[in-house]
């Protein structure tokens, strides 16, 4: 068992770090303040391959592993959590089209998506179907060579600014078996967008409600077969949970770096903060928790890459643990900065705001506990994990 990154993964990390330091970090505070969606910078990321990291090569992507993607996303999120989080969502939606779309959908969307020239949103959550995604009500009624979409989605990242929507809609019976997935042109008649939500964090990406009112889409927009939508969504979320956990790790690492540097600069009672043993212990605990979270996420990515039977459980564990640790590390780093941590001249308050949402998205951490407990209790798998 080798825990070291490969030469290729080190090279991916170096390229992502350089991009993060040059294109993301210098602008992150301004994007957050003015709620700017940096589409031009995301396109630059696409030119490096970062918008189609694990999209199949046959669809124009890099075809890399989820572990490779984790390495890249950690470095990007150290520069701007919010923008990187959107890039991860775009990667997930692009992968769905490249993996499950027919030749027409792949040809229509993937070349521009993998380059960041066009952007994608993932549309699963509804006002009354959040963590209980199988109860979604948005419908897709077949009429000849078309489907007619009706319903609404909420909390959709990029909505109103993206070009294609990966939409989960009901084509059949109640429950997960009646859900299908579609790649939908975001500009079609019958699709409207609500106001941009005023959020606590993630301010460099817009979030809106989407309403479908008799929106007609070609039957060729279907991803996979009718009834495959829930399975496609859950497969996407396994990787999505690794991605969002990784954004927490990268942001927490940046916060930890800032705290360590601040402790060596700031003096109180005639000596550096770094000389106070209580703060040394705090820093050591932060680093230990962060390394543990990183290793758990990498294990989950390895399980997913190898199609391990317990991959979903490990992705849930990694998401639950890493997003909790990421937020706590950022919060502790803010505390070490004292009053300076609370003002926007320093990035700590933004790190806290941006990582807080990770505990809610891709299934709340309470839902992650349910996924894990069911695996342990219903299948008596405690000795296997």
């Amino acid at each position: 068992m080798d825990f070291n990154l490969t030469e290729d993964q080190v090279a991916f990390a170096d390229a992502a770090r350089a991009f993060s330091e040059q294109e993301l970090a210098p602008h992150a505070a301004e994007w957050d303040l003015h709620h700017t969606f940096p589409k031009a910078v995301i396109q630059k990321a696409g030119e490096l391959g970062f918008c189609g990291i694990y999209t199949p090569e046959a669809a124009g992507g890099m075809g890399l592993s989820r572990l490779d993607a984790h390495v890249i996303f950690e470095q990007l999120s150290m520069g701007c959590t919010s923008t990187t989080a959107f890039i991860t969502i775009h990667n997930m939606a692009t992968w769905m089209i490249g993996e499950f779309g027919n030749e027409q959908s792949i040809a229509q969307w993937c070349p521009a998506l993998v380059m960041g020239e066009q952007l994608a949103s993932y549309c699963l959550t509804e006002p009354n179907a959040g963590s209980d995604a199988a109860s979604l009500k948005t419908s897709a009624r077949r009429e000849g060579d078309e489907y007619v979409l009706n319903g609404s989605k909420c909390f959709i990242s990029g909505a109103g600014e993206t070009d294609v929507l990966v939409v989960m809609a009901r084509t059949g019976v109640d429950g997960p078996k009646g859900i299908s997935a579609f790649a939908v042109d975001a500009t079609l008649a019958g699709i409207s967008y609500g106001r941009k939500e005023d959020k606590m964090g993630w301010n460099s990406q817009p979030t809106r409600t989407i309403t479908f009112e008799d929106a007609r889409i070609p039957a060729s927009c279907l991803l996979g077969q009718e009834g495959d939508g829930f399975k496609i969504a859950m497969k996407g979320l396994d990787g999505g949970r690794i991605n969002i956990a990784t954004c927490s790790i990268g942001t927490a690492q940046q916060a930890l770096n800032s705290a360590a540097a601040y402790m060596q600069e700031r003096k109180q009672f005639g000596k550096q903060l770094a000389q106070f043993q209580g703060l040394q212990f705090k820093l050591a605990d932060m680093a230990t928790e962060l390394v543990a979270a990183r290793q758990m996420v990498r294990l989950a990515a390895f399980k997913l890459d190898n199609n391990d039977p317990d991959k979903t459980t490990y992705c849930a564990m990694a998401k639950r643990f890493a997003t909790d640790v990421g937020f706590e590390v950022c919060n502790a780093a803010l505390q070490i900065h004292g009053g300076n941590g609370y003002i926007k001249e320093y990035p700590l308050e933004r790190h806290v705001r941006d990582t807080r949402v990770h505990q809610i998205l891709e299934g709340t951490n309470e839902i992650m506990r349910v996924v894990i407990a069911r695996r342990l209790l219903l299948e008596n798998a405690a000795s296997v994990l």
Side-chain angles (χ1 to χ4, degrees), residues 135-373:
S135 67
L136 65 81
K137 300 299 183 184
T138 296
S139 64
R141 185 180 71 255
R142 183 70 182 257
E143 289 189 2
D145 292 332
E146 295 180 319
Y147 286 93
V148 182
L149 284 174
N150 281 283
S152 63
K153 301 291 183 178
C154 64
F155 304 136
I156 305 304
S157 292
E161 298 280 355
T162 51
D163 303 281
V164 59
L165 312 174
V166 174
V167 179
M168 304 300 159
R170 188 164 302 284
T171 55
V173 298
D174 291 343
K177 293 183 179 180
I179 297 172
S180 299
F182 302 88
V184 179
D185 186 332
T187 65
L188 287 179
I191 301 177
S192 59
Y193 299 91
R195 64 177 177 83
K196 185 165 71 171
E197 301 289 355
D198 190 9
K199 308 188 299 291
M200 173 181 173
W202 271 23
N203 288 323
S204 72
Q205 52 167 293
T207 302
R208 292 183 174 92
T209 295
I210 304 177
T211 301
F212 303 96
E213 295 179 295
D214 291 330
R216 292 184 172 272
I217 60 173
S220 60
C221 293
L222 181 68
L223 302 178
Q225 304 297 318
E226 275 200 13
D228 286 347
F230 191 78
K231 291 186 291 185
I232 291 172
M234 293 304 102
K235 286 181 178 180
L237 287 178
D238 278 345
R241 286 164 181 162
I242 291 172
N243 293 345
I244 212 68
T246 298
C247 288
S248 287
I249 291 169
T251 308
Q253 183 65 63
Q254 188 63 39
L256 178 63
N257 294 349
S258 297
Y262 187 80
M263 283 173 58
Q264 296 180 73
E265 297 168 0
R266 175 75 167 169
K267 289 185 178 181
Q268 289 290 281
F269 304 102
K271 59 182 180 180
Q272 292 178 334
L273 296 187
Q275 294 178 284
F276 290 90
Q277 192 175 59
L279 291 179
Q280 293 173 4
F281 287 174
K282 170 61 71 175
L283 203 68
D285 288 343
M286 292 160 65
T288 301
E289 292 288 306
L290 185 54
V291 168
R294 181 182 291 113
Q295 293 305 114
M296 177 167 278
V297 173
R298 290 182 178 180
L299 175 59
F302 174 83
K303 295 283 187 182
L304 185 57
D305 285 331
N306 288 275
N307 198 30
D308 187 278
D310 283 320
K311 58 184 181 295
T312 295
T313 305
Y314 276 91
C315 290
M317 287 179 170
K319 192 270 180 183
R320 202 291 298 166
F321 186 67
T323 57
D324 282 350
V325 167
F327 175 76
E328 292 302 332
V329 168
C330 290
N331 197 39
L334 185 154
Q335 188 72 18
I336 288 171
H337 280 72
N340 286 330
Y342 199 68
I343 62 176
K344 293 192 174 183
E345 182 179 346
Y346 291 79
L348 283 305
E349 59 83 29
R350 172 163 45 86
H351 294 334
V352 169
R353 288 186 288 108
D354 283 344
T355 54
R356 182 61 182 88
V357 73
H358 298 172
Q359 296 171 296
I360 301 170
L361 296 176
E362 311 293 2
T364 66
N365 282 358
E366 289 69 30
I367 294 298
M368 295 304 96
R369 291 181 174 93
V370 171
V371 172
I372 297 162

